Amino acid sequence: MERFIKLIKNRSDIGAGTRGSDLGIDAIEIAAINRNSDYFSQFEFEDVKTHNESIYDKNRNNFAKRIEHVLEQCTRVSYAVKHNLKANYFPIVLSGDHSSALGTISGIKAVYPTKRLGVVWIDAHADLHSPYTSPSGNIHGMPLSAALGEDNFDCQVNEITPDTAQHWEDLKNIGTPGNKIRPENLIYFGVRDTEEAEDSQIKKLDIRNYKVAEVRYRGLQTCVAEALTKLSNCDLIYISFDVDSMDCDMISYGTGTPVPKGFDQHEVIAMINQIIKSKKVICFEVVEVNPLLDTKGNKMAETAFEVLEQITSTVILPIE
């Protein structure tokens, strides 16, 4: 059976601390044009309405910046993903900042509330903060805590307002009430820049993190196969690819929070393709390309497009 792809374009960067990832999708499209690729004319697409003008609002939630607007945006993304899954599309979500992943996960669960969802998170960061623990208040560092339904009160350092607390509860309940994923069904690849509160959660929740050095030492295929075995009880898999999982010195600094000693694009492509071949992947997302920070022209977007093009070819292979 052939899979039909729908591109969901979410040009929102209100969950980030640095402006510019809202331009990432256009930068990827420019990269395709410069390669004489017709990728973006091959597939149907949907633009998600954004609320980027909210960055000019006076911020009242210092420990969860613009949370009311991120809630609105993640709800929109959730609806777009839900609507397209119900229409039998394979959504490829192209987003600005990584807070969008909560919307994507919530949309999947809204369609399949009784199915067990596995999440493969390819990222330099754990994104396990909550408003109670975040040192920055940027919600792109919180989507997995919301998806897991975790507040991490054990590491609380922030006293948040009742208004922020209510918005946070609403975030955790987008799409369907309660947590969307279980800790044992979340696997990291490449996480290497974390804070103490996140390290505590990773340890407490026993979340598996395949670090770059381990993947290279043990072998990429071996590590991915092991991860798939760990997710064998999952009915569905969602892959979230943050471009900062790649080595900023080798690739580009064109992302909001660049971190050295990451993967190269060929490793990312091989990793994702092996997971897609499990036939459980239901949605894929690319986030955090920021062309305003790119010191190598449009290098990060070009590399992200290389990944996108290669993995899409695997997605559309006929499923026997």
Side-chain angles (χ1 to χ4, degrees):
M1 181 178 70
E2 187 178 359
R3 282 170 146 173
F4 293 97
I5 286 171
K6 175 71 77 70
L7 302 177
I8 298 176
K9 302 177 182 180
N10 174 41
R11 294 179 174 86
S12 176
D13 70 347
I14 58 175
T18 306
R19 305 277 66 81
S21 61
D22 59 320
L23 302 172
I25 298 166
D26 296 312
I28 294 172
E29 292 192 12
I30 289 168
I33 291 168
N34 288 340
R35 288 184 57 174
N36 295 316
S37 170
D38 64 349
Y39 181 92
F40 285 94
S41 62
Q42 290 180 40
F43 308 110
E44 295 182 53
F45 69 91
E46 177 176 339
D47 281 309
V48 180
K49 183 181 177 182
T50 62
H51 214 322
N52 291 335
E53 69 277 5
S54 67
I55 63 169
Y56 300 110
D57 295 346
K58 183 175 175 58
N59 184 39
R60 299 182 300 275
N61 302 287
N62 290 332
F63 303 122
K65 296 173 182 174
R66 295 174 288 277
I67 188 170
E68 66 274 29
H69 300 305
V70 174
L71 169 63
E72 185 177 18
Q73 195 61 32
C74 284
T75 301
R76 289 169 175 164
V77 173
S78 173
Y79 179 80
V81 170
K82 178 180 76 171
H83 171 76
N84 283 289
L85 284 173
K86 282 187 172 181
N88 295 316
Y89 284 104
F90 181 100
I92 293 181
V93 185
L94 307 176
S95 286
D97 76 81
H98 215 167
S99 65
S100 62
L102 174 62
T104 305
I105 291 170
S106 299
I108 296 169
K109 287 297 289 184
V111 180
Y112 302 105
T114 62
K115 292 190 180 294
R116 188 173 296 186
L117 178 62
V119 172
V120 177
W121 199 262
I122 306 170
D123 198 332
H125 305 91
D127 294 343
L128 269 181
H129 276 295
S130 77
Y132 302 99
T133 68
S134 175
S136 70
N138 297 323
I139 301 178
H140 70 165
M142 307 184 196
L144 283 176
S145 285
L148 289 161
E150 289 282 339
D151 300 312
N152 195 8
F153 289 126
D154 291 343
C155 297
Q156 181 175 355
V157 293
N158 302 325
E159 293 293 333
I160 69 175
T161 65
D163 186 49
T164 299
Q166 184 57 59
H167 286 313
W168 176 244
E169 290 303 310
D170 292 341
L171 268 174
K172 292 191 288 185
N173 289 286
I174 293 173
T176 56
N179 63 300
K180 309 300 184 291
I181 57 174
R182 300 177 183 179
E184 63 268 27
N185 297 330
L186 167 63
I187 292 180
Y188 288 133
F189 276 90
V191 170
R192 58 195 183 279
D193 184 15
T194 56
E195 278 95 24
E196 186 176 340
E198 294 177 304
D199 293 334
S200 174
Q201 284 291 76
I202 291 170
K203 183 177 180 180
K204 183 178 82 171
L205 301 175
D206 194 25
I207 300 171
R208 184 66 164 95
N209 178 20
Y210 289 93
K211 294 187 177 182
V212 178
E214 179 185 357
V215 170
R216 289 175 178 165
Y217 178 75
R218 296 183 59 211
L220 187 147
Q221 286 189 334
T222 298
C223 291
V224 174
E226 188 175 280
L228 288 171
T229 298
K230 184 171 171 58
L231 297 179
S232 60
N233 290 329
C234 293
D235 305 297
L236 310 167
I237 294 175
Y238 155 71
I239 303 173
S240 196
F241 168 49
D242 187 325
V243 297
D244 70 25
S245 62
M246 297 187 294
D247 190 304
C248 60
D249 292 322
M250 184 189 311
I251 307 295
S252 167
Y253 277 71
T255 186
T257 45
V259 184
K261 300 181 179 178
F263 295 115
D264 65 34
Q265 72 270 36
H266 307 295
E267 291 169 315
V268 171
I269 291 166
M271 188 185 305
I272 295 172
N273 280 344
Q274 187 174 342
I275 299 166
I276 290 171
K277 289 174 183 176
S278 72
K279 302 180 182 179
K280 289 186 176 182
V281 178
I282 195 167
C283 182
F284 172 72
E285 185 161 10
V286 182
V287 302
E288 297 282 1
V289 172
N290 189 332
L292 297 185
L293 303 176
D294 203 324
T295 58
K296 298 180 180 178
N298 200 31
K299 180 67 173 176
M300 184 61 87
E302 291 167 356
T303 307
F305 177 65
E306 183 180 346
V307 174
L308 180 62
E309 191 173 40
Q310 295 270 350
I311 71 99
T312 302
S313 297
T314 307
V315 169
I316 62 178
L317 287 173
I319 302 175
E320 297 176 0

